[in-house]
Amino acid sequence: MKFLKITFFFIFLSSLAANSQTISKGEVIYKVNNQSLNIIKNDSVKKNIPKIKNLLKNEKKLEYILVFDKNLSFFSKKNRLENNKMNLTEIMAGKGSYYTDTSKESILLRKEAYGENFIVSLPTKKWQVTQISKKIGNYLCYKAITRKEIEGRWGKKILEITAWFTPEISVNFGPKEYNNLPGLILELNENGIVYTASKITLNSKKRLKISKPSSGKKVSIDEYNKISKEMYYKFKKSRKKN
């Protein structure tokens, strides 16, 4: 019975996508909200941590932009910080730009780290689509869940990522490396960093430039994690010497 319900639900989603308007390209602006900030603010005030308090002074709402055309998409930060000030939300969200080619199941993260440019190949996500729904703006969205393994100085950790996608916009793109759903992702929660679509432009006559990253050291995500770990221990060792 449960299998039949799931099957009918996917047929329902497919019918929604089939009845939606034909979309070839578009542009989405996402506003970012850091749910951890209130906890960090209260904690830093209580403990009187000057460094954290200074970081929080530089906080402002970030905006990211997603552009897509047929099978290709590009996701990057829209606005820049003044005077290269540090921003805690941006640090937690992670820097870099994302290029996706769904026809080749290719997701590339281009980022600068350790004085070098990297092009990191990322895996396609597998989703658990639910029947839970809510409205975001004028669009009916459905909840989907995936998991992401991250590796840091404290070891490996599994994050649960929540996305809300709408079959009414039948393109399978979203923020960062998150895609492969039967509709555009309008809201994404990645470890307390929430991306919410604030402006959607579809099928405009504006020419969209989506370029595949080419300059940088090409590595897999496992190779990049290994490099990050080695660089961290080198930095730690050099600090001990000093």
Side-chain angles (χ1 to χ4, degrees):
M1 184 63 71
K2 186 177 179 181
F3 174 77
L4 285 174
K5 284 183 179 179
I6 293 171
T7 302
F8 282 126
F9 179 61
F10 274 99
I11 292 172
F12 169 69
L13 288 181
S14 299
S15 67
L16 281 179
N19 291 326
S20 63
Q21 61 175 308
T22 302
I23 298 161
S24 59
K25 63 179 183 178
E27 182 179 284
V28 186
I29 305 297
Y30 291 90
K31 288 190 175 180
V32 183
N33 177 37
N34 187 347
Q35 294 182 340
S36 306
L37 280 185
N38 288 333
I39 299 170
I40 295 169
K41 281 178 183 176
N42 293 336
D43 202 41
S44 63
V45 169
K46 286 177 185 177
K47 295 179 180 178
N48 194 26
I49 307 172
K51 286 183 179 179
I52 297 295
K53 288 167 80 173
N54 288 333
L55 273 177
L56 292 173
K57 285 180 183 178
N58 299 328
E59 282 302 311
K60 64 176 182 178
K61 287 190 176 180
L62 291 172
E63 284 189 331
Y64 287 78
I65 183 168
L66 170 72
V67 293
F68 58 87
D69 192 348
K70 296 178 182 177
N71 297 320
L72 305 178
S73 77
F74 189 79
F75 180 83
S76 62
K77 191 173 68 161
K78 185 175 182 286
N79 50 345
R80 294 185 178 183
L81 287 174
E82 296 176 3
N83 302 321
N84 294 318
K85 290 181 179 179
M86 293 184 71
N87 181 287
L88 196 57
T89 299
E90 185 182 0
I91 293 170
M92 293 175 70
K95 296 183 179 181
S97 57
Y98 295 79
Y99 168 90
T100 300
D101 184 345
T102 56
S103 67
K104 297 179 181 178
E105 294 189 354
S106 173
I107 306 170
L108 302 176
L109 163 62
R110 187 186 184 281
K111 67 182 300 182
E112 184 180 344
Y114 319 113
E116 191 172 357
N117 288 322
F118 290 90
I119 299 175
V120 187
S121 178
L122 302 174
T124 301
K125 297 290 182 288
K126 294 181 179 179
W127 295 91
Q128 175 192 347
V129 178
T130 76
Q131 298 181 46
I132 302 169
S133 65
K134 72 173 181 178
K135 277 255 188 174
I136 298 177
N138 296 321
Y139 295 98
L140 179 64
C141 298
Y142 291 90
K143 183 179 180 181
I145 299 166
T146 190
R147 285 168 181 80
K148 176 182 180 179
E149 182 180 272
I150 60 171
E151 188 170 356
R153 65 190 71 171
W154 300 285
K156 293 183 179 180
K157 182 181 177 182
I158 303 295
L159 300 180
E160 184 173 278
I161 315 298
T162 301
W164 293 88
F165 70 95
T166 177
E168 295 172 33
I169 304 177
S170 57
V171 294
N172 55 351
F173 297 116
K176 300 183 77 171
E177 74 263 43
Y178 300 100
N179 54 52
N180 199 32
L181 281 166
L184 179 68
I185 296 174
L186 297 192
E187 184 178 290
L188 179 87
N189 187 331
E190 183 191 51
N191 201 28
I193 305 297
V194 182
Y195 302 82
T196 306
S198 60
K199 184 180 178 182
I200 302 170
T201 307
L202 302 173
N203 292 335
S204 70
K205 293 181 180 180
K206 179 181 175 182
R207 187 176 178 182
L208 302 176
K209 186 178 179 181
I210 302 175
S211 301
K212 184 178 180 179
S214 56
S215 60
K217 184 177 181 179
K218 296 178 181 178
V219 294
S220 67
I221 184 62
D222 291 334
E223 289 169 333
Y224 180 77
N225 287 337
K226 185 179 178 182
I227 292 168
S228 296
K229 193 181 289 186
E230 288 172 355
M231 293 303 294
Y232 169 71
Y233 286 119
K234 280 182 183 179
F235 175 73
K236 194 175 180 182
K237 194 174 181 180
S238 67
R239 287 193 68 180
K240 282 183 178 179
K241 286 182 180 179
N242 297 330

